[in-house]
Amino acid sequence: MLARRLLIRTHVLPLPHSRASSVLTRHKYDVIVVGGGHAGTEAAAAAARVGAETLLITQKIQTIGALSCNPSLGGVGKGQLVREVDALDGLMGRAGDWAGVHFSMLNRSKGPAVWGPRAQLDRGRYREFIQSELLSTPRLTVVEGSVEQLLVSEPDAGRPGKHRVTGVCMAGVNEDVQCTSVVLTTGTFLSGALFMGQTMSPGGRMGDPPSSAGLSHTLREVLGLTVGRLRTGTPPRIVKDTVDLSLATIQPPDKQPTPFSYMNTHTRVQPEEQLPCYLTYTTPGVDRVVRESIHLNTHIQQDTKGPRYCPSIESRVLRFPGRRHQVWLEPEGLTSDLLYPQGLSMTMPPELQLRLLREIPALERVEIRTPGYGVQYDFVCPTQLFPSLQVKKAQGLFLAGQINGTTGYEEAAAQGLWAGVNAGRAALSLPALSLSRTESYIGVLIDDLVSRGVTEPYRMFTSRAEFRTSLRPDNADLRLTPKGFEEAGCVSAKRYREVRRVGEGLNEGLAALQSVSMSATRWRDTLDVTCISEAKSTPLSAEDVLQYKDVSFEMLATALPEVFSPYMEFAQRLKIEVLYRSHCERQKKEMERIQEEESLQLPQDLDYLSLPASLSQEVREILDRVRPHTLGAATRLPGMTPAAIVHLLYYVTKAPHGGRNAARGSTNLGSKQFQNEENRGNVHHNNADAKLCTNI
C-alpha cells in the first residue's frame, strides 16, 4: 500500500495484491457494496476496516476512482468533509494529496473556522491511488458486474422494518450472492438517462450504461420506497492549446500546499510544480446562444430539479439575464492537454456548445474534445433512512451518495464511509452508530438528509452547521479519530497513536501559553509590536497575546525559545485553538442540550396519527411521514412547533405507554426547557431551507 506519510516522494504506486476479478469465487459475504464511485469506494473500504468480509461490485474496475465531473476536491464546507473522511481513515484525503496539482485554502480573509481546503487534481493519479488502495485492502474483493435486483425476504422479528435484504442477483451469474448488509451507491446510474440537445440515451455517465431497471423496480415496487428524479450536468472538455490564456486572469496556487490528510506533512506535487488556474467571464453573446437554442435543449425544458449551487449555464442565463458569469479554466492534470471550464455545464447540441464557447474571451478559437451533457437519475427520499443510513423499511439495506439526493464527491464519500461502517457493524452483530451534528459536518449532512429530505441536490456549506467554530477543518482528527478507533473500529492503530500524540502536544502547548505572563508594556518590547495596548493594567498571558491578529506563535517561539520552540510543529493549530477557545466554551451548553435531545430516541412503532397527545393534524402527519429517530431530529422538522415538541417530550417520557417504549437515554429533559424554546422560537432549523420530499 502507498506510504501513509508522503515525506518520501516516491512517484510509482506499488502493485497491489489484487483481489479484483470478473468471476466470483464465493457467494457469501458480510457486506456487498454496489457501485464503485466515491461513495462506494469509501463504503467498501470502511466496511472492510471494521472487520467485515466485503464485496464491491462495479461495472468497470478501470473506472473506480474516476472523477466524473470536475477535477477538483474540497472547498468551503466540502473541504471540511474531506478532512473528516480522512480523520475516520477514509481514502479521499490521501488520494487528494497524491493527485493534487494546485492547492489553495479558500476563505482566508475570514476566520479559520470557515477556511476551505481545496485542490485541483490530476484525474489519472487520483484514479490510480484509489484503485491501488482498494485492491490491497484486506477482506475486500472487487468484481466487475451488474446487479439486477436485490434479494428480499421476511424481516427479522423484533427489529424495525417490513423487509430484509439478504443479497443481490447479478447479471450473468447463475447463483445469487448472499450477505447480511447491502450498501447501494448507484450515483447517477439508477435509471440514468443522458441528454444532449434533443437526444436522449440511457446511461449514468458518458460511455457507461445505467443500472439495471430491476434495481429501481425493487426499490419502488418491492420495498415501497418513495423515489424521485433529479438532474445534473457536466461541461465540455476543451483542448488547452486552442485557448489563449493570455486573455484570462491567472489564479496561482498557494505557495505552500496544505495537505488534506492529517497523516501527511507534504503533498506529492512540489510547490513549484503546481499548475495555475485561469479566470474569464461570459459575454452577451453567451446569453444570445442560450436563448436561441432553448427549443433544441430537451434537458433544460424539463421540470426535474437540478443543482442550485452548480447550475448549467443555460439555467443561469435564463434566471439572471444580462449578468456576467465567471468561468474558471482548470487543469485536468500535469500532462493533460485538456482544460475544464468550470461554470459552463451545458446540454445544448454540440455545434451550439462550440458556438457558445467561442463567445467567451480566451476561447474564441477553442476546440472541444468531449461535449457537455446532462444526466437525469432516480434518488430515494432520504427521510426514509435512519441516521445510520439504513433504510427504515428494509433491514440490512444502506444507501449512500447521490441516491440520497446529494451532489458532489465529498458529500458522497462522507455518506459512503458512514454507511460502510454501519453496514459492517450490522453484519458483525454490532449496534449502529450515528454522528451528531454537534460533533461533525458528516453529522450535519446526514441529519439534514434524514430529518428534512431534499427537493434539489444537496450541497454542503459551512452555514449549515450551527457549531462551525467548533467543527473546524484543523481539528477534525481530534473530534473524530478517537471515536473512529474506540467505537466504530474503522481507524487504524497507527492513526490513533498519531492523534493522541498531537492532542497531547496541543494540550502541553496551551499549558505553556498559559504559564507565561507579563505586563502589556513588556510584551510590546519583547515582541516588538504595537498592537498590544499599553493601557492594559493587568498582566497578559501568552495565550492572551496570541489572540492578537498581528502576533504569531512563531514570534513567541523566537522571543522565548526555551518555552515555546518545542511546540513549533503545532504553531498554526495553537493559534486557531486560542482564537476560538472562549467562543467554543460558550457554545458547550447549547451543544450539550442538543446532545441530550439526541440521546432520547423516539420509538419507531409510535402511531402518531392516534397518539393521545395534544398535537395538530399537520404535526401528526409530519411525524408519521418522516418518523424521526430522536427528539432532536423532531425539533428540526419543518412545521414542528416548540409546543408540539413539549407535548411529544411529555408523552414519550411521562405517559405510561410512551415511557415503556422510549429507548433508554437522557429522559430528564424537563418541559420548562422547551417552554423557553417556545418563547424564543425554534432555533434549530430554517423552514425556508428545510423542505421535505412531499412533492414527489
Side-chain angles (χ1 to χ4, degrees), residues 324-339:
R324 192 172 71 148
H325 301 284
Q326 289 183 338
V327 178
W328 292 94
L329 304 176
E330 301 174 343
E332 296 224 340
L334 287 174
T335 60
S336 174
D337 64 342
L338 299 179
L339 290 175

mmCIF file of all heavy atoms in Angstrom, residues 324-339:
data_model
loop_
_atom_site.group_PDB
_atom_site.id
_atom_site.type_symbol
_atom_site.label_atom_id
_atom_site.label_comp_id
_atom_site.label_asym_id
_atom_site.label_seq_id
_atom_site.Cartn_x
_atom_site.Cartn_y
_atom_site.Cartn_z
ATOM 1 N N ARG A 324 -23.018 38.957 -16.019
ATOM 2 C CA ARG A 324 -21.743 38.358 -16.401
ATOM 3 C C ARG A 324 -21.382 37.258 -15.415
ATOM 4 O O ARG A 324 -21.395 37.475 -14.202
ATOM 5 C CB ARG A 324 -20.648 39.429 -16.412
ATOM 6 C CG ARG A 324 -19.357 38.965 -17.063
ATOM 7 C CD ARG A 324 -18.383 40.115 -17.209
ATOM 8 N NE ARG A 324 -17.827 40.555 -15.942
ATOM 9 C CZ ARG A 324 -16.603 41.055 -15.793
ATOM 10 N NH1 ARG A 324 -15.819 41.201 -16.841
ATOM 11 N NH2 ARG A 324 -16.179 41.441 -14.607
ATOM 12 N N HIS A 325 -21.079 36.055 -15.915
ATOM 13 C CA HIS A 325 -20.806 34.907 -15.056
ATOM 14 C C HIS A 325 -19.341 34.490 -15.157
ATOM 15 O O HIS A 325 -18.741 34.533 -16.239
ATOM 16 C CB HIS A 325 -21.694 33.725 -15.447
ATOM 17 C CG HIS A 325 -23.161 34.020 -15.367
ATOM 18 N ND1 HIS A 325 -23.840 34.087 -14.181
ATOM 19 C CD2 HIS A 325 -24.075 34.288 -16.339
ATOM 20 C CE1 HIS A 325 -25.117 34.363 -14.405
ATOM 21 N NE2 HIS A 325 -25.275 34.502 -15.712
ATOM 22 N N GLN A 326 -18.789 34.057 -14.029
ATOM 23 C CA GLN A 326 -17.400 33.601 -14.001
ATOM 24 C C GLN A 326 -17.243 32.265 -14.720
ATOM 25 O O GLN A 326 -18.119 31.400 -14.645
ATOM 26 C CB GLN A 326 -16.916 33.438 -12.564
ATOM 27 C CG GLN A 326 -16.721 34.738 -11.807
ATOM 28 C CD GLN A 326 -16.164 34.494 -10.419
ATOM 29 O OE1 GLN A 326 -16.291 33.400 -9.857
ATOM 30 N NE2 GLN A 326 -15.537 35.509 -9.844
ATOM 31 N N VAL A 327 -16.111 32.094 -15.374
ATOM 32 C CA VAL A 327 -15.722 30.816 -15.974
ATOM 33 C C VAL A 327 -14.283 30.537 -15.553
ATOM 34 O O VAL A 327 -13.373 31.315 -15.870
ATOM 35 C CB VAL A 327 -15.819 30.845 -17.512
ATOM 36 C CG1 VAL A 327 -15.351 29.512 -18.096
ATOM 37 C CG2 VAL A 327 -17.241 31.162 -17.959
ATOM 38 N N TRP A 328 -14.096 29.458 -14.810
ATOM 39 C CA TRP A 328 -12.759 29.065 -14.368
ATOM 40 C C TRP A 328 -12.206 28.020 -15.330
ATOM 41 O O TRP A 328 -12.867 27.018 -15.620
ATOM 42 C CB TRP A 328 -12.807 28.485 -12.957
ATOM 43 C CG TRP A 328 -13.143 29.500 -11.912
ATOM 44 C CD1 TRP A 328 -14.377 29.782 -11.402
ATOM 45 C CD2 TRP A 328 -12.230 30.369 -11.247
ATOM 46 N NE1 TRP A 328 -14.298 30.769 -10.462
ATOM 47 C CE2 TRP A 328 -12.981 31.152 -10.346
ATOM 48 C CE3 TRP A 328 -10.846 30.555 -11.325
ATOM 49 C CZ2 TRP A 328 -12.404 32.109 -9.522
ATOM 50 C CZ3 TRP A 328 -10.261 31.513 -10.503
ATOM 51 C CH2 TRP A 328 -11.037 32.277 -9.613
ATOM 52 N N LEU A 329 -11.008 28.254 -15.814
ATOM 53 C CA LEU A 329 -10.332 27.295 -16.689
ATOM 54 C C LEU A 329 -9.343 26.510 -15.831
ATOM 55 O O LEU A 329 -8.321 27.050 -15.381
ATOM 56 C CB LEU A 329 -9.625 28.028 -17.828
ATOM 57 C CG LEU A 329 -10.529 28.928 -18.682
ATOM 58 C CD1 LEU A 329 -9.713 29.678 -19.729
ATOM 59 C CD2 LEU A 329 -11.645 28.116 -19.341
ATOM 60 N N GLU A 330 -9.671 25.243 -15.594
ATOM 61 C CA GLU A 330 -8.936 24.443 -14.620
ATOM 62 C C GLU A 330 -8.154 23.329 -15.311
ATOM 63 O O GLU A 330 -8.667 22.666 -16.211
ATOM 64 C CB GLU A 330 -9.902 23.837 -13.603
ATOM 65 C CG GLU A 330 -10.714 24.880 -12.846
ATOM 66 C CD GLU A 330 -11.780 24.292 -11.946
ATOM 67 O OE1 GLU A 330 -12.120 23.102 -12.139
ATOM 68 O OE2 GLU A 330 -12.280 25.013 -11.068
ATOM 69 N N PRO A 331 -6.918 23.079 -14.859
ATOM 70 C CA PRO A 331 -6.126 21.986 -15.434
ATOM 71 C C PRO A 331 -6.699 20.631 -15.048
ATOM 72 O O PRO A 331 -7.265 20.468 -13.963
ATOM 73 C CB PRO A 331 -4.743 22.194 -14.826
ATOM 74 C CG PRO A 331 -5.007 22.903 -13.532
ATOM 75 C CD PRO A 331 -6.202 23.786 -13.785
ATOM 76 N N GLU A 332 -6.541 19.649 -15.925
ATOM 77 C CA GLU A 332 -7.030 18.288 -15.660
ATOM 78 C C GLU A 332 -5.909 17.336 -15.260
ATOM 79 O O GLU A 332 -6.157 16.163 -15.000
ATOM 80 C CB GLU A 332 -7.754 17.756 -16.897
ATOM 81 C CG GLU A 332 -9.005 18.540 -17.249
ATOM 82 C CD GLU A 332 -10.168 17.643 -17.600
ATOM 83 O OE1 GLU A 332 -9.947 16.472 -17.929
ATOM 84 O OE2 GLU A 332 -11.315 18.123 -17.537
ATOM 85 N N GLY A 333 -4.670 17.844 -15.211
ATOM 86 C CA GLY A 333 -3.548 17.001 -14.822
ATOM 87 C C GLY A 333 -2.242 17.601 -15.274
ATOM 88 O O GLY A 333 -2.214 18.524 -16.101
ATOM 89 N N LEU A 334 -1.134 17.096 -14.733
ATOM 90 C CA LEU A 334 0.178 17.642 -15.053
ATOM 91 C C LEU A 334 0.526 17.477 -16.521
ATOM 92 O O LEU A 334 1.188 18.329 -17.110
ATOM 93 C CB LEU A 334 1.243 16.962 -14.181
ATOM 94 C CG LEU A 334 1.265 17.369 -12.696
ATOM 95 C CD1 LEU A 334 2.263 16.519 -11.934
ATOM 96 C CD2 LEU A 334 1.590 18.844 -12.544
ATOM 97 N N THR A 335 0.108 16.382 -17.121
ATOM 98 C CA THR A 335 0.448 16.122 -18.529
ATOM 99 C C THR A 335 -0.768 16.168 -19.438
ATOM 100 O O THR A 335 -0.653 15.871 -20.622
ATOM 101 C CB THR A 335 1.133 14.749 -18.653
ATOM 102 O OG1 THR A 335 0.238 13.719 -18.186
ATOM 103 C CG2 THR A 335 2.416 14.699 -17.842
ATOM 104 N N SER A 336 -1.935 16.531 -18.909
ATOM 105 C CA SER A 336 -3.149 16.545 -19.713
ATOM 106 C C SER A 336 -3.146 17.727 -20.680
ATOM 107 O O SER A 336 -2.676 18.821 -20.350
ATOM 108 C CB SER A 336 -4.382 16.629 -18.815
ATOM 109 O OG SER A 336 -5.565 16.775 -19.582
ATOM 110 N N ASP A 337 -3.689 17.513 -21.875
ATOM 111 C CA ASP A 337 -3.810 18.596 -22.855
ATOM 112 C C ASP A 337 -5.199 19.216 -22.837
ATOM 113 O O ASP A 337 -5.583 19.916 -23.764
ATOM 114 C CB ASP A 337 -3.488 18.080 -24.260
ATOM 115 C CG ASP A 337 -4.489 17.022 -24.736
ATOM 116 O OD1 ASP A 337 -5.207 16.451 -23.876
ATOM 117 O OD2 ASP A 337 -4.554 16.770 -25.949
ATOM 118 N N LEU A 338 -5.958 18.958 -21.751
ATOM 119 C CA LEU A 338 -7.333 19.451 -21.657
ATOM 120 C C LEU A 338 -7.476 20.465 -20.534
ATOM 121 O O LEU A 338 -6.727 20.453 -19.557
ATOM 122 C CB LEU A 338 -8.305 18.291 -21.417
ATOM 123 C CG LEU A 338 -8.379 17.201 -22.485
ATOM 124 C CD1 LEU A 338 -9.364 16.129 -22.063
ATOM 125 C CD2 LEU A 338 -8.771 17.794 -23.834
ATOM 126 N N LEU A 339 -8.489 21.312 -20.659
ATOM 127 C CA LEU A 339 -8.915 22.216 -19.598
ATOM 128 C C LEU A 339 -10.385 21.958 -19.303
ATOM 129 O O LEU A 339 -11.161 21.580 -20.186
ATOM 130 C CB LEU A 339 -8.736 23.683 -20.012
ATOM 131 C CG LEU A 339 -7.307 24.203 -20.133
ATOM 132 C CD1 LEU A 339 -7.318 25.629 -20.669
ATOM 133 C CD2 LEU A 339 -6.580 24.150 -18.799
#
